[in-house]
Amino acid sequence: MRHFLDIDDLTPSELARILNLASDPKPPQVLAGRGVALLFEKPSARTRSATEMAVVQLGGHPVYIGAAEVGLDQRESVEDVTRTMGCYSAVIGARVFAHSTAERMAAVSEVPVVNLLSDHAHPTQAVADLLTMRDAMGHLEGLKLAYVGDANNVARSLAYAAGLSGIALRIASPPGYEFGESDLRPMRQCGCEPVQVDKPVEAVRGADVVYTDVWASMGQEEEAAQRRQDFTGFTVNRRLMTQAAPGAVFLHCLPAHRGEEVEAKVIDGPQSRVWPQAANRMHAARGLLLWLMEQAEA
Ligand code: CP
Ligand code: NVA
C-alpha cells in the first residue's frame, strides 16, 4: 500500500504511469461499492469536485467530511479520525493546514492517504499540471517551464513533477519568498532542483509554459497586504509573456487574483490554458486513484 503526500513519493516511471492511467477512456470500476473519504480543513472549488467525480467515474462513493464535523485534534485525534475513516473507505483524501497532519494520517492509516493540499505540497495539482502541459505541447521531456511568484506548496510539487518528467524549471521569487536550503536539498537528491532567479523576465525568457499562483495562500490572509508590496513587479502581464517562447501557454492552479499575480488579459487571453488545467484535476485524480488501487492489489 502506498500513500501520496507529495510528488517525490513517486519514481519517474510511476508518475508517467499515473499520467497514462489518467488518459484511460474506459477506466475499470476499481472502486465499485467502496467509499473514498474526503476531509477538508480548507475551502475548495476544484479539488473537492474533481476528486468526487473521479471517485464516481471509478464506481465508488465519495464521502465529504468538513473539518468542523470531525474536530481534528479537538473532538478526536487525527489518528483516531483516520482509523475510523479507514473502516469505511478504500482511500482517504485530506486537505490540511499543516503537512504534519497528512503525515500523521499516513503513519496510522491502513488505506492510502492522498494529500489534497497542505501548507507544504499540492501534488494532485501537479499531476493535472503535467497533463495540461502534455496536452498543450504534445510532450513533457525537454520543456522549459517558468514559475513566477511565491515558492509555495504549488511551486514545490510542481518542481518535483517537472524534475521527474525531464522539464527544466526556472523560478523567480522576491527576496524572502524563494525555496530555502531545506527545500533545495531533497530536490537536488532526486534531480529536481529548479534554477532560482531574481527577476521574472529571467525565468520567462524562452519558456514554453509560464505558471503563477496567488501571493498569499490559504492560511496567510493576514500577510496579504505585506505580500502585495513584496511581490510588486511579479505580475504575469502581457509584456512579460512576450519574453516567452512563441506558442507559450499560461497556467495557474486557481483561484486567481486578477490584477495581482496575473493580468486579466493574460489569464483570460489566448495563451491561457487554465480551464483545461482545471478540467485535468478530475482526470489526474482518476489516474491517481487507479494507480493507488493497482498498488494496493500488487
Ligand atoms: N487548484 C485548487 O486546488 O483549487 P481549489 O482550492 O478550489 O480546490
Ligand atoms: N497556494 C494556494 C493554492 C490554492 C489551490 C493555497 O495554498 O492557498
Side-chain angles (χ1 to χ4, degrees):
M1 192 203 43
R2 298 280 294 274
H3 301 294
F4 183 64
L5 301 192
D6 202 354
I7 294 285
D8 62 337
D9 290 341
L10 305 172
T11 64
S13 63
E14 287 171 340
L15 180 56
R17 170 87 184 138
I18 291 171
L19 297 183
N20 287 339
L21 288 169
S23 312
D24 185 343
K26 279 196 121 190
Q29 300 292 287
V30 293
L31 291 174
R34 308 181 76 185
V36 172
L38 300 173
L39 173 72
F40 280 76
E41 281 195 297
K42 304 181 192 181
S44 167
R46 280 148 290 275
T47 308
R48 174 186 174 180
S49 298
T51 312
E52 285 204 13
M53 286 313 300
V55 171
V56 169
Q57 289 168 352
L58 299 177
H61 183 84
V63 181
Y64 173 81
I65 301 144
E69 188 177 344
V70 288
L72 283 179
D73 278 342
Q74 288 175 0
R75 183 168 184 263
E76 205 168 3
S77 71
V78 166
E79 285 77 9
D80 283 359
V81 169
T82 305
R83 291 183 184 106
T84 303
M85 289 182 192
C87 297
Y88 323 116
S89 299
V91 176
I92 299 171
R95 167 166 286 197
V96 294
F97 281 98
H99 191 70
S100 57
T101 302
E103 291 174 332
R104 285 171 60 196
M105 295 176 92
V108 299
S109 184
E110 294 191 1
V111 300
V113 173
V114 174
N115 177 8
L116 297 176
L117 183 147
S118 67
D119 57 358
H120 183 74
H122 196 3
T124 61
Q125 177 70 53
V127 175
D129 299 340
L130 289 176
L131 288 175
T132 312
M133 289 188 261
R134 194 178 67 178
D135 292 346
M137 298 295 166
H139 64 102
L140 294 176
E141 179 91 36
L143 285 181
K144 291 182 185 159
L145 168 64
Y147 180 94
V148 177
D150 190 19
N152 61 11
N153 47 4
V154 167
R156 200 172 282 108
S157 294
L158 188 66
Y160 283 113
L164 295 186
S165 306
I167 297 171
L169 172 63
R170 275 178 293 172
I171 166 164
S173 313
Y177 296 98
E178 319 93 329
F179 286 131
E181 190 51 29
S182 61
D183 287 312
L184 294 174
R185 199 177 313 111
M187 287 176 184
R188 208 170 289 137
Q189 274 163 11
C190 77
C192 299
E193 187 181 11
V195 174
Q196 297 207 97
V197 296
D198 299 328
K199 295 194 178 69
V201 68
E202 292 167 19
V204 169
R205 199 172 284 127
D208 301 298
V209 181
V210 180
Y211 197 124
T212 190
D213 183 18
V214 291
W215 292 338
S217 286
M218 290 181 276
Q220 297 173 332
E221 287 79 6
E222 72 288 354
E223 298 173 30
Q226 181 65 50
R227 284 170 173 259
R228 268 195 292 274
Q229 282 184 24
D230 295 345
F231 282 81
T232 301
F234 280 75
T235 303
V236 177
N237 55 27
R238 282 165 294 168
R239 190 154 46 91
L240 186 61
M241 289 300 291
T242 64
Q243 300 299 307
V249 297
F250 170 79
L251 300 185
H252 191 311
C253 57
L254 305 176
H257 295 160
R258 288 167 176 78
E260 293 189 17
E261 76 276 4
V262 61
E263 185 185 31
K265 288 237 159 85
V266 171
I267 192 168
D268 300 321
Q271 289 172 289
S272 178
R273 294 293 179 277
V274 299
W275 300 117
Q277 184 182 11
N280 275 329
R281 296 297 310 280
M282 180 174 69
H283 305 309
R286 200 177 56 246
L288 176 67
L289 289 166
L290 282 167
W291 181 78
L292 287 170
M293 291 300 100
E294 271 184 3
Q295 299 305 306
E297 280 164 22

